[in-house]
Amino acid sequence: MSDNAIIYSALGILVLPLLSYVITFFFGKKLPRQGDFVGVTLMGVSWFLAIRIFMTFWKIADPAYRVETGFTWIQLGGFHVDAGILVDGMTSIMLMVVTTISFLVHLYSTGYMHGDSRYERFFAFLGFFTFAMMGIVLANNLFFLYVFWELVGLASYLLIGFFFFKDSAANANKKAFLTNRVGDWGFWLGILAFFTATGTLNYFELFAHVDAGTIKGTLLAWAGVGLFMGCMGKSAQMPLHIWLPDAMEGPTPVSALIHAATMVAAGVYMVARLAPLFGTTAMMVIMYVGAITAFLAATIALVKTDIKRVLAFSTLSQLGYMVMALGVGDSPNAMFHLMTHAMFKGLLFLAAGSVIHGVHSQEMTDMGGLRKKMPITFVTFLIGTMALSGVPFLAGFYSKDGILGSALAFGMTDGHYIPFILGITAALLTPFYMFRLVFRTFFGKPADQEKYDHAHESSWNMTVPLMILAVFAIISAGWQTADKGWFSKFMLPYDVPVIAAEFHVESAPHDSHEVVVASHDEHPAADSHGEPAHGEAAHGGEHAVAGDHGGHDAHHDIHHTAHVRAMIMSIAMVFFGIGGAWWVYHQKKVDPSAVQKKLSGLYTALQGQFFFDEFYAATVYRATLWWASVCAAFDRYVIDGIVNGSGHLTRLMSSVTGTVDKYVVDGAVNGVATVMHGFGEGFRRIQTGRIQTYLVYVTGSVLVLVLVYNVL
C-alpha cells in the first residue's frame, strides 16, 4: 500500500463505525432485523482495512516508519490547532485489536441481544463506541486525543447504563462517568502544561521539545503525572478503579468490548504512545501504581462468585501489569500484553456471556457440571483461562513473562524489587482464581438442577466468535517475546534523538529563576539507542558513556538473567496456582468455608473490595455533599436573600409611591377638576335663556355696585 492508501484506509476505519451509528440510530427500526447487519457488515469492512494496513507494516518491518497527515483546524492569530491522523506500527496493531474485537462483538450480539426492545440502539452505540476508540488510536496530537478520549467516556456511559431502567445500571454508568472526570481533569492539566511550555500539541514535536529540555524538572514531572491521571481513570488504576467492577451492569458484549479493546485499553495506549513525555518521577509513580493495582485486584478476585466480576477484577490486575511495564520503561511489552490480553479477555467475557445466556445466572453458586451441556463454551473458556493464567505456549505466557522479566531487571539494577514481588504474587493468584472459576462452573455436580436442565449451548453466531478468539489466544504472540518475535517489526522504544533531529528544536535557554526540586533533570524513558530504559538510565542515574561496550554487555546480561529467572518463577507460579485450585475446588481436600471463618477479617476486607467505596462515601462523597449543602445554603440565604430582599424593598417602595400617586398627585388633579366642574355647574344654572332673568341679574348687579361704591 502507498502512503495515500494507508491514510485513506485509516480514514475509512474511522468513518465506517460512525456511519454504522448514524444509519442504525436513525433508521434501524425501519430496516430488516432492525439494522444489525449494517453494524456487522461495516465493522467487517473496517476489519479488512485494518488487516491490509497491518500486513503493509509487517512487510515494511520498520518500527520507526510512520505516515502522518493533517490540516489546520483552528487559526486565531498565533494560536492554531491542527487536526490530523498518525499511522505507524503501534497504530496498526491497535487498529487490528479494536476492529477484531468490535467485529466479533457485533456478530456475537446478534445472538445475545436478540429480542431486546432497544436492539437497534444497542448496535448504534456499539458503532459509536468503536468510532471514538478509533479516534484515540489515529489522533496525532493531544487535543484531538482528548476530544475522542471524552467521546469514549460518553459511549461507555451510554452502554454501561444501557439497561437504565435498573437502578444498579443507572448508578454504574454515573459512577464510571464521574470517576473518569477526576482522571480527565488531571489529563487536561497535563496537556495544558505541555502546550504552555512548548507551544505545540503534536506528539513528535513534543518529544523533540522534551529532548531539548524545553520542559524539564518539576514541571515535566507534574505534567507527566497529570497525563497519567487520565490513564488512571480510563484504565481503572487504583485509586480510580472503583467504576470498572460496577460496569458489569452493562450487557456482556459491552463488557467484552470495554475490557478487551476500547475503554480500558485507551489509558495504556496513551501512556505507551506518549512514553518520552514521562520523566523519572512520573515513571516511578506509574510503576508503583501499576504493581499495586495488579496485586490488590488479584486478591479481590479470589472471593468473588459473580463470574463477570471475577473477570472484571482480573482485567484490573492485568491492566496493572501493563502499567507496571510502562513504569519500568518497557512500553513494547506493555502493548504486547495489551494485544494478547484483548484476545483472551474478549474470549473470556463472551464465553461468560454464553454461560449466562444458557443458565440465566451470573453466580457460580448456581452452576456446576456445565462442560457437558456447553462443550464449545467450556473448551474456549478453558483456553482463555490458560492464556490468562500464563500457561506456556499460549499467548499470555509470552507477554506476561516479558513484563515480569523487565520488572525484575529493573529491581536488579535500581533496587526496586517491590513491583516485581507484587507482580509475581499476582502471577500465582491469577491461575488460582481463574481455575476456581472453571472448576466451580464447568466441573462437579450442578448446584441448581433446574438451571442445569435448562442450560444449552449457544447459537452459532455466539460460538463462532468464541472459536476465533480461542485461536488468537493461542497464536497471537507467535510463540515469541515482544523483542524477538513478529511484534518487534511494529514497535520498539522511540529513538528520541532521531525524532528530535527532524524538528530542529533548540534547547530552551537557562532560566536563573527556575525552581527545580529534583537533584537532576527529568529524562525520557528511553535511552538514545532506543532501548527500554531500566535502572539508572531510566530513573535519574548517570547514563553509560557512549561506546562503553562493557557497560552495554553488563546491561544485556542483567536483562537476560532477569528474564530467565522471571520465566522460571512465572511457570512455577502458574502450576502452583492451578494445582492449588484443583486441590481445593476439584478434589475438595480443603473446605473454603472453613478457611473463610478462620480468616474472616481478611475475607470481609476482600469481599468489601478493601472498602474503597465506603472510604470514598465517608470522605469524598460526604465532603462533596457537605460543600454542596453549604453552597445551597449560601444560595438560599445569601444570594436568594439579597434577591428576595431587593424584591420586598422594591414592592414596599412601589406601594408608598402608589399611595402618594393615588391620594396626593391624583387627589390634587381630581380636586381641581371637581372645583372646576362645580363652577361649571353653577354657571350653567345661571344661563336660563330668559331675558327677564338677565334683566333681574343686571339690576341686582347695579344695586350691588352702587352699594359697594357708597360703602367704600
Side-chain angles (χ1 to χ4, degrees):
M1 293 175 70
S2 65
D3 288 357
N4 286 336
I6 292 173
I7 292 296
Y8 289 134
S9 296
L11 287 173
I13 294 172
L14 177 65
V15 171
L16 287 174
L18 180 62
L19 181 62
S20 169
Y21 163 73
V22 172
I23 294 174
T24 311
F25 187 86
F26 291 103
F27 308 106
K29 285 189 177 295
K30 300 178 181 179
L31 295 173
R33 294 181 53 86
Q34 298 183 58
D36 62 356
F37 64 92
V38 174
V40 175
T41 302
L42 292 181
M43 279 313 307
V45 176
S46 294
W47 192 21
F48 171 74
L49 294 175
I51 292 172
R52 289 191 65 198
I53 293 176
F54 181 84
M55 295 308 299
T56 298
F57 279 87
W58 180 293
K59 294 176 182 177
I60 293 172
D62 180 6
Y65 178 74
R66 70 179 190 269
V67 181
E68 189 173 3
T69 188
F71 61 92
T72 299
W73 187 58
I74 295 176
Q75 181 74 52
L76 296 173
F79 172 79
H80 70 94
V81 176
D82 294 333
I85 65 173
L86 165 68
V87 184
D88 62 1
M90 190 191 305
T91 306
S92 68
I93 289 169
M94 283 300 296
L95 292 177
M96 272 294 295
V97 168
V98 178
T99 55
T100 299
I101 301 299
S102 183
F103 170 69
L104 295 176
V105 165
H106 273 75
L107 177 60
Y108 179 93
S109 299
T110 60
Y112 189 87
M113 297 298 293
H114 180 70
D116 190 89
S117 60
R118 301 166 68 240
Y119 184 74
E120 83 293 339
R121 184 155 296 195
F122 179 80
F123 279 89
F125 290 162
L126 283 184
F128 181 73
F129 204 175
T130 306
F131 158 73
M133 186 62 194
M134 292 302 185
I136 289 177
V137 173
L138 291 170
N140 76 333
N141 64 78
L142 290 178
F143 181 80
F144 273 88
L145 173 67
Y146 189 78
V147 169
F148 285 105
W149 191 269
E150 295 303 315
L151 289 179
V152 164
L154 171 61
S156 68
Y157 174 86
L158 296 172
L159 284 169
I160 292 170
F162 185 75
F163 299 131
F164 60 87
F165 44 83
K166 294 166 51 181
D167 289 341
S168 57
N171 291 333
N173 71 352
K174 287 183 286 187
K175 187 176 184 179
F177 192 79
L178 294 175
T179 303
N180 273 274
R181 298 286 67 70
V182 177
D184 293 353
W185 168 77
F187 188 35
W188 182 241
L189 291 181
I191 291 173
L192 292 180
F194 277 108
F195 179 73
T196 302
T198 65
T200 183
L201 293 168
N202 180 272
Y203 297 155
F204 292 95
E205 288 186 46
L206 284 170
F207 300 165
H209 278 285
V210 171
D211 184 68
T214 307
I215 177 172
K216 57 184 178 179
T218 306
L219 181 58
L220 179 60
W222 282 108
V225 171
L227 292 183
F228 178 61
M229 282 186 66
C231 174
M232 289 175 66
K234 282 290 186 289
S235 291
Q237 296 298 288
M238 291 188 180
L240 299 182
H241 67 289
I242 57 173
W243 66 269
L244 190 57
D246 290 0
M248 298 304 96
E249 292 295 334
T252 300
V254 174
S255 301
L257 194 58
I258 289 176
H259 286 251
T262 52
M263 184 113 168
V264 299
V268 175
Y269 171 77
M270 180 270 290
V271 177
R273 170 61 75 189
L274 304 178
L277 302 186
F278 297 93
T280 63
T281 302
M283 297 289 280
M284 192 71 74
V285 171
I286 293 170
M287 177 182 65
Y288 275 98
V289 168
I292 293 169
T293 302
F295 172 74
L296 292 184
T299 60
I300 296 172
L302 293 171
V303 300
K304 295 300 177 181
T305 56
D306 182 322
I307 60 175
K308 286 180 66 176
R309 284 188 175 268
V310 173
L311 295 178
F313 282 103
S314 168
T315 299
L316 282 175
S317 183
Q318 298 305 305
L319 290 169
Y321 274 116
M322 300 174 208
V323 171
M324 180 176 69
L326 293 169
V328 300
D330 193 2
S331 55
N333 265 312
M335 287 298 297
F336 193 44
H337 195 54
L338 185 152
M339 183 272 302
T340 60
H341 176 265
M343 301 307 165
F344 54 72
K345 187 52 64 68
L347 166 61
L348 287 169
F349 266 106
L350 295 183
S354 179
V355 172
I356 295 167
H357 190 263
V359 181
H360 302 291
S361 174
Q362 296 181 195
E363 291 291 328
M364 299 181 206
T365 52
D366 295 333
M367 302 175 188
L370 292 177
R371 72 183 189 280
K372 298 176 182 178
K373 285 274 190 172
M374 311 178 72
I376 297 176
T377 300
F378 164 65
V379 172
T380 54
F381 194 96
L382 182 61
I383 292 172
T385 298
M386 291 192 296
L388 171 60
S389 300
V391 173
F393 307 113
L394 277 78
F397 166 73
Y398 299 96
S399 54
K400 185 187 290 188
D401 175 62
I403 291 174
L404 291 173
S406 295
L408 180 57
F410 182 80
M412 293 170 66
T413 54
D414 262 34
H416 290 272
Y417 284 99
I418 292 177
F420 172 75
I421 293 171
L422 294 176
I424 200 67
T425 305
L428 170 65
L429 300 177
T430 301
F432 182 85
Y433 68 69
M434 283 306 301
F435 275 88
R436 166 181 176 263
L437 172 57
V438 169
F439 290 135
R440 295 192 65 177
T441 303
F442 294 102
F443 288 83
K445 296 180 180 179
D448 188 317
Q449 190 63 43
E450 183 179 354
K451 292 183 182 298
Y452 176 82
D453 291 339
H454 287 86
H456 57 85
E457 185 60 272
S458 300
S459 57
W460 71 269
N461 48 356
M462 294 175 65
T463 55
V464 167
L466 299 184
M467 291 185 281
I468 294 173
L469 288 173
V471 173
F472 285 136
I474 298 172
I475 70 170
S476 58
W479 299 284
Q480 287 285 354
T481 55
D483 59 331
K484 297 178 181 178
W486 65 268
F487 197 81
S488 61
K489 297 181 179 181
F490 293 82
M491 184 178 173
L492 288 174
Y494 290 111
D495 195 340
V496 177
V498 172
I499 293 172
E502 295 180 30
F503 297 95
H504 308 291
V505 176
E506 296 182 2
S507 298
H510 176 71
D511 185 354
S512 59
H513 300 286
E514 180 184 13
V515 178
V516 181
V517 176
S519 60
H520 55 272
D521 288 344
E522 301 278 354
H523 292 283
D527 64 21
S528 61
H529 301 287
E531 293 291 334
H534 299 280
E536 298 296 321
H539 288 270
E542 296 181 359
H543 291 278
V545 178
D548 183 359
H549 298 290
H552 184 273
D553 290 342
H555 178 77
H556 181 271
D557 290 342
I558 289 174
H559 277 266
H560 177 73
T561 302
H563 279 271
V564 171
R565 291 177 180 176
M567 181 182 67
I568 294 171
M569 285 188 279
S570 175
I571 293 174
M573 295 299 104
V574 169
F575 288 105
F576 278 129
I578 296 174
W582 176 80
W583 185 257
V584 175
Y585 294 101
H586 188 267
Q587 295 299 106
K588 301 186 184 301
K589 298 295 185 179
V590 177
D591 183 8
S593 60
V595 177
Q596 290 176 12
K597 290 180 181 179
K598 290 182 179 179
L599 302 175
S600 58
L602 177 60
Y603 176 77
T604 302
L606 295 177
Q607 196 63 257
Q609 300 167 194
F610 293 109
F611 307 110
F612 276 94
D613 285 300
E614 289 77 7
F615 173 76
Y616 288 142
T619 55
V620 177
Y621 301 164
R622 180 172 294 181
T624 302
L625 292 174
W626 174 82
W627 179 244
S629 66
V630 170
C631 292
F634 182 82
D635 180 69
R636 184 181 304 113
Y637 297 111
V638 179
I639 304 299
D640 287 354
I642 293 173
V643 173
N644 295 336
S646 299
H648 289 306
L649 180 62
T650 302
R651 289 175 59 191
L652 176 63
M653 294 299 296
S654 299
S655 177
V656 172
T657 303
T659 301
V660 172
D661 182 68
K662 181 177 181 180
Y663 295 105
V664 178
V665 178
D666 287 356
V669 173
N670 293 335
V672 172
T674 301
V675 171
M676 295 305 294
H677 182 267
F679 278 116
E681 283 291 322
F683 285 120
R684 185 178 65 79
R685 294 181 183 277
I686 293 174
Q687 296 178 1
T688 63
R690 295 176 182 179
I691 296 176
Q692 297 91 326
T693 303
Y694 294 152
L695 289 175
V696 171
Y697 291 161
V698 170
T699 302
S701 299
V702 170
L703 290 175
V704 170
L705 291 173
V706 170
L707 179 62
V708 171
Y709 179 78
N710 288 328
V711 172
L712 296 175

